[in-house]
Amino acid sequence: MRIAFIIIAIVFVALTIAFTILPMGTIALIPVALAFLFSFFAFFKSKERKRIFSKWLMFFVFVLFLVIVAKDVFVKDKVVTDQKFQLEKQNSQQEAQKELEELEGLK
Amino acid sequence: MKKILTIGVFLSFIRICTGQISPNETLIFDGSYELSGMMTNIAQVTMQTSVMKTTNKSYLHLSAEVATFNKWDSFFKIRDLYESYVDPGTLKPSLYKRNVYEGGYTKTEKYSYNPAGNSIKSESKRKNNPVVKNTVSIQPGAVDVITLIYKLRSANLSGLKAGQSIPYIIVFDEKQLRVNLKMLGKEIVSAGNLGKRECYKLSISANTNKLKGADKNLIWLTTDSKHIPCLIKFSIPVGVGQLSLLKTAGI
């Protein structure tokens, strides 16, 4: 049972790492909570001399939790100015002016 | 005397139609999408108005720009631009343009409205396919999706009781759609830098499978004369999302 809990915890740790790298925001809190829960179960089920791995796992999960929270608090959402898109917008307006004048000519 | 009265009535009509829309207005929204049951910010939506002048006329340029936040750009970049050029008095559209870039998929669309308002000449292009030209008959008064938002903002909503609807006809993807906006009541919602505002809550329905569920597509407009959209919730085949007003300028 202890081994099963450790494996499940490791799977959720891997998911947490993936979610933290990807821009998933606070969704990463779901796998991190599950990883903590299963590493705690593994710790609880382990005999005293075999608790070291689950202890380290819980510590690692806690670090990941801090990273997720820090990313959410300190990394602000911003839109990067896209030069190509800005140029397309300008061109679109210039073309629109010509097209509107053509339409006025139809009246 | 009769002439003066007629002009007076006409001028007050124009004021009613456009009084709420400033020509240099900017509304910035946070666009979020439901992922694993949680709303995640993915894009910024900017709605702007400006004046476009030609040799003979002046138009109100309405635009809506969708851009993903930089953290999403490497995974699924979106840069969409919707534009409409309308008469500043009546909000009657003359030209509509759509330029879509969504994760590598591109689409451009252009509708030139016939001056009589009963047909549009459309030009559309998807990815690397050739340009497709078409003429579509429309009902007079049919507008594009961008103009619809501003038309709604110019409408008199104070007389609407809960359960009553306002019908509109829009042209989207070269098809005419009947859109109904049903008044659900009033609610106080967060309106970005404007603080908390009392809003009209309206449900959007249309004869299309692109909007899912009953009363799942909603818009909250301030009860003041500007009818600023503060919150928009949508339910589409690929998921659920919302636009929350963040900043306003030039109102």
Side-chain angles (χ1 to χ4, degrees):
Chain A
M1 200 63 174
R2 174 185 167 265
I3 300 289
F5 283 143
I6 287 174
I7 291 167
I8 296 167
I10 289 170
V11 168
F12 282 118
V13 164
L15 264 177
T16 306
I17 293 168
F19 278 31
T20 311
I21 294 165
L22 291 166
M24 303 299 257
T26 47
I27 292 171
L29 290 173
I30 299 168
V32 88
L34 290 166
F36 188 82
L37 194 73
F38 283 102
S39 51
F40 179 75
F41 286 160
F43 175 81
F44 190 71
K45 283 276 178 189
S46 303
K47 285 174 186 165
E48 206 152 314
R49 59 190 173 83
K50 284 188 172 178
R51 280 181 169 173
I52 190 77
F53 185 74
S54 45
K55 253 186 198 173
W56 275 107
L57 205 57
M58 276 198 287
F59 175 73
F60 185 58
V61 168
F62 182 68
V63 171
L64 281 174
F65 169 76
L66 291 180
V67 171
I68 296 161
V69 174
K71 261 186 89 175
D72 198 59
V73 173
F74 299 111
V75 181
K76 296 287 170 209
D77 290 330
K78 60 175 182 182
V79 172
V80 173
T81 309
D82 190 323
Q83 296 301 333
K84 193 181 162 222
F85 186 60
Q86 293 303 322
L87 196 69
E88 279 176 6
K89 268 167 67 178
Q90 282 174 16
N91 290 342
S92 173
Q93 284 195 40
Q94 283 167 3
E95 281 170 23
Q97 196 168 21
K98 284 179 196 162
E99 285 156 0
L100 287 166
E101 282 176 347
E102 281 172 21
L103 282 170
E104 286 164 21
L106 288 175
K107 285 181 186 173
Chain B
M1 186 67 188
K2 215 174 179 182
K3 248 182 188 176
I4 293 167
L5 199 69
T6 313
I7 291 166
V9 169
F10 178 68
L11 287 176
S12 61
F13 173 71
I14 285 180
R15 211 177 68 78
I16 289 164
C17 281
T18 61
Q20 295 89 338
I21 315 296
S22 305
N24 285 304
E25 183 193 89
T26 304
L27 305 175
I28 299 174
F29 298 86
D30 251 353
S32 43
Y33 196 73
E34 196 179 279
L35 293 169
S36 305
M38 291 171 94
M39 280 293 173
T40 308
N41 279 1
I42 59 162
Q44 183 175 284
V45 177
T46 309
M47 292 183 74
Q48 279 181 310
T49 60
S50 61
V51 176
M52 155 73 80
K53 284 188 175 164
T54 61
T55 319
N56 305 319
K57 268 188 88 175
S58 194
Y59 296 87
L60 192 61
H61 175 210
L62 314 171
S63 71
E65 187 185 318
V66 187
T68 36
F69 292 119
N70 60 340
K71 62 182 181 182
W72 283 99
D73 280 350
S74 332
F75 303 98
F76 195 83
K77 187 176 176 177
I78 297 175
R79 290 292 184 275
D80 291 353
L81 180 65
Y82 296 81
E83 298 173 284
S84 188
Y85 294 86
V86 300
D87 183 287
T90 58
L91 298 182
K92 186 184 168 200
S94 293
L95 183 69
Y96 164 76
K97 294 176 114 183
R98 181 181 172 197
N99 190 345
V100 168
Y101 177 93
E102 291 171 359
Y105 172 80
T106 58
K107 183 178 181 179
T108 56
E109 214 170 28
K110 185 173 82 182
Y111 301 159
S112 306
Y113 288 77
N114 176 306
N118 55 9
S119 72
I120 53 164
K121 278 189 179 168
S122 74
E123 277 182 38
S124 61
K125 188 179 188 303
R126 284 173 199 224
K127 271 195 146 183
N128 298 322
N129 296 337
V131 176
V132 178
K133 292 185 180 183
N134 210 347
T135 302
V136 183
S137 292
I138 57 165
Q139 286 189 32
V143 294
D144 53 80
V145 69
I146 296 299
T147 309
L148 173 73
I149 297 169
Y150 288 90
K151 278 249 179 200
L152 181 62
R153 287 185 56 192
S154 304
N156 180 11
L157 300 174
S158 60
L160 274 186
K161 288 176 186 161
Q164 284 186 319
S165 301
I166 323 175
Y168 287 100
I169 297 167
I170 64 160
V171 187
F172 193 74
D173 279 340
E174 297 172 49
K175 284 182 194 124
Q176 272 198 122
L177 301 172
R178 283 181 189 280
V179 175
N180 259 304
L181 284 121
K182 184 174 78 180
M183 175 65 78
L184 296 180
K186 287 180 189 174
E187 270 180 16
I188 292 172
V189 298
S190 175
N193 62 337
L194 303 175
K196 297 231 176 221
R197 287 293 183 100
E198 186 186 50
C199 291
Y200 291 118
K201 183 181 177 184
L202 296 134
S203 167
I204 309 160
S205 61
N207 60 334
T208 171
N209 56 6
K210 286 182 178 163
L211 297 181
K212 294 280 174 192
D215 295 341
K216 292 269 176 77
N217 294 280
L218 303 159
I219 185 166
W220 282 259
L221 300 169
T222 56
T223 51
D224 58 28
S225 62
K226 299 279 179 189
H227 293 336
I228 301 159
C230 297
L231 181 64
I232 300 168
K233 288 190 177 184
F234 56 87
S235 175
I236 52 176
V238 288
V240 175
Q242 68 179 44
L243 303 179
S244 314
L245 185 65
L246 195 68
K247 278 185 216 158
T248 59
I251 296 170

